[in-house]
Amino acid sequence: MIKKEMIAMLLAGGQGSRLGVLTQKVAKPAVSFGGKYRIIDFPLSNCINSGVDTVGVLTQYQPLRLNAHIGIGIPWDLDRNVGGVTVLPPYERSKGSDWYTGTANAIYQNLEYMENYNPDYVLILSGDHIYKMDYEVMLEYHKANNADITIAAMPVPIEEASRFGILITDEQNRITEFEEKPANPRSNLASMGIYIFSWPVLRDALIKLSEEPGCDFGKHVIPYCFSGGKRVFAYEYNGYWKDVGTLGSYWEANMELIDIIPEFNLYEEYWKIYTKSDIIPPQYTAPDSRIERSIIGEGTEIYGQVINSVIGAGVTIGKDAVVKDSIVMKGSSIGEGTVVDKAIIAEDVSIGANAEIGVGEYAPSKYDPKVYQFDLVTVGERSAIPDGVKIGRNTAISGVTDSSDYHDGMLESGDYIIKAGGVQ
């Protein structure tokens, strides 16, 4: 048996349903971010930058792209003979099989993987947050407090606190109470969903709660350890951290990258963000093209204007086209004379010539008002939009559309077109 001081378990199975058509064919951690990255690159890079070289990645929903992206972990220096990165999908056992039904249930189903390394500590991470954190510093804090569990936490605006697990602590930062998504929060210190467990404590809790349906850290494991008198501490984090779980926060986090002095810097020498990159040619910008405050991916050809936008690799933006306040992911093309305003265009989308995307006034979504409420046009991957159509605000499109799908050449604000093979 190989002994490791701390291993990481990265929960990356999320469907990400609040990202709407962006996640119908891909798990949320595999969604593009910042032009050339995917969301999962951030926790993976944090691991290797923190000296954590053994990472189990738990996948479930639409894992194909995620698995291909991670591969054997070469970009993150996680292609190790001992440890490294291991993709852990749910599998069939002799006693019957089970999908991962909750965050803690997913970890419980991989008890054997963890036992292989006989770790002193287990770091539990989520695969869908954008941040940089040195987990080694958190581990030192865990040891100094002789803690059983350390929960990374950060202050949030009190009006948003009911979306999170909320921690109440004493002067030593020991947690005295934990409330999962309380209606009337009594503190604004929110759990970030990042935990360090001393291994015997985690192992015991997972085994004891193994029959609990949908076993979850926030709802079951933490309260169980709490009631058993375990030493649970809050590790306060004050850097940049964003849960990109909604279309609004995903769009915002991308837009923040193009500020003159971005709050979140992707290019720090001492804390690199690693990703799997294809070998592609450099960007091409035509003589009469114009680019302002934007990130442009490799292999992209720009013949029109790009203003305040994040453009992925291998994108083509046609002559006289204008892309403004938008995210255009890898491999998509925008036709000549088309105007795109405040949109999220997923991978391999084709938009025809002389179309207008993001026109008119905001209207509430007729499709899913909880998901689509951020005044964005959202286009799912491999969709096609024909020449000359107009698309209103707060709309959703998925699938290959033609002019007959648009009433008088227009998709009204708040409306949607979801074709076969799209979101059900």
PDB file of all heavy atoms in Angstrom, residues 20 67 78 89 110 113-114 168 231 257 287 358 384 395 404 418:
ATOM      1  N   GLY A  20     -28.690  25.769 -18.321  1.00  0.00           N
ATOM      2  CA  GLY A  20     -29.599  25.608 -19.462  1.00  0.00           C
ATOM      3  C   GLY A  20     -28.984  24.849 -20.616  1.00  0.00           C
ATOM      4  O   GLY A  20     -28.353  23.804 -20.445  1.00  0.00           O
ATOM      5  N   ASN A  67     -13.758  13.411 -19.663  1.00  0.00           N
ATOM      6  CA  ASN A  67     -12.749  12.339 -19.661  1.00  0.00           C
ATOM      7  C   ASN A  67     -11.673  12.598 -20.706  1.00  0.00           C
ATOM      8  O   ASN A  67     -10.478  12.426 -20.461  1.00  0.00           O
ATOM      9  CB  ASN A  67     -13.405  10.976 -19.929  1.00  0.00           C
ATOM     10  CG  ASN A  67     -14.376  10.580 -18.827  1.00  0.00           C
ATOM     11  OD1 ASN A  67     -14.515  11.293 -17.852  1.00  0.00           O
ATOM     12  ND2 ASN A  67     -15.047   9.474 -18.982  1.00  0.00           N
ATOM     13  N   LEU A  78      -0.097  15.521 -13.715  1.00  0.00           N
ATOM     14  CA  LEU A  78      -0.732  14.506 -12.866  1.00  0.00           C
ATOM     15  C   LEU A  78      -0.690  13.128 -13.540  1.00  0.00           C
ATOM     16  O   LEU A  78      -1.512  12.263 -13.259  1.00  0.00           O
ATOM     17  CB  LEU A  78      -2.190  14.915 -12.561  1.00  0.00           C
ATOM     18  CG  LEU A  78      -2.347  16.061 -11.543  1.00  0.00           C
ATOM     19  CD1 LEU A  78      -3.770  16.587 -11.531  1.00  0.00           C
ATOM     20  CD2 LEU A  78      -1.943  15.615 -10.138  1.00  0.00           C
ATOM     21  N   PRO A  89     -15.912   6.983 -12.574  1.00  0.00           N
ATOM     22  CA  PRO A  89     -17.350   6.983 -12.843  1.00  0.00           C
ATOM     23  C   PRO A  89     -18.054   5.978 -11.933  1.00  0.00           C
ATOM     24  O   PRO A  89     -17.400   5.114 -11.349  1.00  0.00           O
ATOM     25  CB  PRO A  89     -17.424   6.516 -14.309  1.00  0.00           C
ATOM     26  CG  PRO A  89     -16.184   5.696 -14.502  1.00  0.00           C
ATOM     27  CD  PRO A  89     -15.143   6.219 -13.551  1.00  0.00           C
ATOM     28  N   ASN A 110     -16.449   5.283  -3.515  1.00  0.00           N
ATOM     29  CA  ASN A 110     -15.028   5.175  -3.889  1.00  0.00           C
ATOM     30  C   ASN A 110     -14.116   5.005  -2.682  1.00  0.00           C
ATOM     31  O   ASN A 110     -12.937   5.361  -2.714  1.00  0.00           O
ATOM     32  CB  ASN A 110     -14.625   6.399  -4.720  1.00  0.00           C
ATOM     33  CG  ASN A 110     -15.266   6.365  -6.089  1.00  0.00           C
ATOM     34  OD1 ASN A 110     -14.857   5.589  -6.946  1.00  0.00           O
ATOM     35  ND2 ASN A 110     -16.302   7.155  -6.287  1.00  0.00           N
ATOM     36  N   TYR A 113     -10.890   3.152  -3.446  1.00  0.00           N
ATOM     37  CA  TYR A 113      -9.868   3.991  -4.089  1.00  0.00           C
ATOM     38  C   TYR A 113      -9.084   4.759  -3.022  1.00  0.00           C
ATOM     39  O   TYR A 113      -7.852   4.807  -3.041  1.00  0.00           O
ATOM     40  CB  TYR A 113     -10.537   4.971  -5.067  1.00  0.00           C
ATOM     41  CG  TYR A 113      -9.622   6.070  -5.561  1.00  0.00           C
ATOM     42  CD1 TYR A 113      -8.712   5.837  -6.596  1.00  0.00           C
ATOM     43  CD2 TYR A 113      -9.646   7.344  -4.990  1.00  0.00           C
ATOM     44  CE1 TYR A 113      -7.856   6.838  -7.049  1.00  0.00           C
ATOM     45  CE2 TYR A 113      -8.796   8.354  -5.436  1.00  0.00           C
ATOM     46  CZ  TYR A 113      -7.900   8.093  -6.452  1.00  0.00           C
ATOM     47  OH  TYR A 113      -7.053   9.086  -6.893  1.00  0.00           O
ATOM     48  N   MET A 114      -9.800   5.334  -2.045  1.00  0.00           N
ATOM     49  CA  MET A 114      -9.129   6.130  -1.005  1.00  0.00           C
ATOM     50  C   MET A 114      -8.287   5.236  -0.095  1.00  0.00           C
ATOM     51  O   MET A 114      -7.167   5.594   0.276  1.00  0.00           O
ATOM     52  CB  MET A 114     -10.169   6.918  -0.199  1.00  0.00           C
ATOM     53  CG  MET A 114     -10.889   7.974  -1.029  1.00  0.00           C
ATOM     54  SD  MET A 114     -12.040   8.994  -0.069  1.00  0.00           S
ATOM     55  CE  MET A 114     -13.393   7.866   0.187  1.00  0.00           C
ATOM     56  N   ILE A 168     -21.632  29.240  11.882  1.00  0.00           N
ATOM     57  CA  ILE A 168     -21.555  30.155  13.026  1.00  0.00           C
ATOM     58  C   ILE A 168     -20.368  29.684  13.868  1.00  0.00           C
ATOM     59  O   ILE A 168     -20.272  28.493  14.210  1.00  0.00           O
ATOM     60  CB  ILE A 168     -22.887  30.146  13.815  1.00  0.00           C
ATOM     61  CG1 ILE A 168     -23.979  30.747  12.908  1.00  0.00           C
ATOM     62  CG2 ILE A 168     -22.768  30.936  15.111  1.00  0.00           C
ATOM     63  CD1 ILE A 168     -25.374  30.481  13.318  1.00  0.00           C
ATOM     64  N   ARG A 231     -14.295  18.020  16.175  1.00  0.00           N
ATOM     65  CA  ARG A 231     -13.733  19.380  16.113  1.00  0.00           C
ATOM     66  C   ARG A 231     -13.830  19.880  14.666  1.00  0.00           C
ATOM     67  O   ARG A 231     -13.108  19.398  13.785  1.00  0.00           O
ATOM     68  CB  ARG A 231     -12.270  19.378  16.562  1.00  0.00           C
ATOM     69  CG  ARG A 231     -12.105  19.093  18.061  1.00  0.00           C
ATOM     70  CD  ARG A 231     -10.630  18.961  18.447  1.00  0.00           C
ATOM     71  NE  ARG A 231      -9.863  20.184  18.233  1.00  0.00           N
ATOM     72  CZ  ARG A 231      -9.838  21.224  19.058  1.00  0.00           C
ATOM     73  NH1 ARG A 231     -10.567  21.213  20.168  1.00  0.00           N
ATOM     74  NH2 ARG A 231      -9.080  22.285  18.805  1.00  0.00           N
ATOM     75  N   LEU A 257     -12.772  38.919 -16.547  1.00  0.00           N
ATOM     76  CA  LEU A 257     -11.404  38.615 -16.996  1.00  0.00           C
ATOM     77  C   LEU A 257     -10.850  39.701 -17.903  1.00  0.00           C
ATOM     78  O   LEU A 257      -9.644  39.809 -18.089  1.00  0.00           O
ATOM     79  CB  LEU A 257     -11.377  37.284 -17.761  1.00  0.00           C
ATOM     80  CG  LEU A 257     -11.748  36.031 -16.969  1.00  0.00           C
ATOM     81  CD1 LEU A 257     -11.798  34.834 -17.902  1.00  0.00           C
ATOM     82  CD2 LEU A 257     -10.761  35.781 -15.844  1.00  0.00           C
ATOM     83  N   PRO A 287      -7.037  43.401 -41.895  1.00  0.00           N
ATOM     84  CA  PRO A 287      -6.588  44.800 -41.805  1.00  0.00           C
ATOM     85  C   PRO A 287      -7.674  45.752 -41.306  1.00  0.00           C
ATOM     86  O   PRO A 287      -7.402  46.686 -40.572  1.00  0.00           O
ATOM     87  CB  PRO A 287      -6.166  45.139 -43.244  1.00  0.00           C
ATOM     88  CG  PRO A 287      -5.871  43.813 -43.873  1.00  0.00           C
ATOM     89  CD  PRO A 287      -6.731  42.799 -43.196  1.00  0.00           C
ATOM     90  N   GLY A 358     -29.896  39.418 -30.003  1.00  0.00           N
ATOM     91  CA  GLY A 358     -29.968  40.249 -28.793  1.00  0.00           C
ATOM     92  C   GLY A 358     -30.559  41.609 -29.084  1.00  0.00           C
ATOM     93  O   GLY A 358     -29.938  42.628 -28.808  1.00  0.00           O
ATOM     94  N   ALA A 384     -27.470  25.828 -35.148  1.00  0.00           N
ATOM     95  CA  ALA A 384     -27.288  26.655 -36.347  1.00  0.00           C
ATOM     96  C   ALA A 384     -28.419  27.675 -36.402  1.00  0.00           C
ATOM     97  O   ALA A 384     -29.569  27.349 -36.109  1.00  0.00           O
ATOM     98  CB  ALA A 384     -27.297  25.785 -37.595  1.00  0.00           C
ATOM     99  N   THR A 395     -33.359  34.821 -24.479  1.00  0.00           N
ATOM    100  CA  THR A 395     -33.868  33.720 -25.311  1.00  0.00           C
ATOM    101  C   THR A 395     -32.937  32.514 -25.220  1.00  0.00           C
ATOM    102  O   THR A 395     -31.787  32.643 -24.798  1.00  0.00           O
ATOM    103  CB  THR A 395     -33.966  34.180 -26.778  1.00  0.00           C
ATOM    104  OG1 THR A 395     -32.762  34.894 -27.113  1.00  0.00           O
ATOM    105  CG2 THR A 395     -35.150  35.099 -27.003  1.00  0.00           C
ATOM    106  N   SER A 404     -37.958  28.711 -41.182  1.00  0.00           N
ATOM    107  CA  SER A 404     -39.355  28.374 -40.855  1.00  0.00           C
ATOM    108  C   SER A 404     -39.590  28.321 -39.340  1.00  0.00           C
ATOM    109  O   SER A 404     -40.722  28.334 -38.881  1.00  0.00           O
ATOM    110  CB  SER A 404     -39.734  27.033 -41.489  1.00  0.00           C
ATOM    111  OG  SER A 404     -38.975  25.996 -40.881  1.00  0.00           O
ATOM    112  N   ILE A 418     -36.172  24.936 -29.113  1.00  0.00           N
ATOM    113  CA  ILE A 418     -35.397  23.764 -28.672  1.00  0.00           C
ATOM    114  C   ILE A 418     -35.767  22.632 -29.623  1.00  0.00           C
ATOM    115  O   ILE A 418     -36.887  22.131 -29.595  1.00  0.00           O
ATOM    116  CB  ILE A 418     -35.745  23.377 -27.218  1.00  0.00           C
ATOM    117  CG1 ILE A 418     -35.596  24.571 -26.266  1.00  0.00           C
ATOM    118  CG2 ILE A 418     -34.894  22.195 -26.755  1.00  0.00           C
ATOM    119  CD1 ILE A 418     -34.196  25.025 -25.958  1.00  0.00           C
TER     120      ILE A 418
END
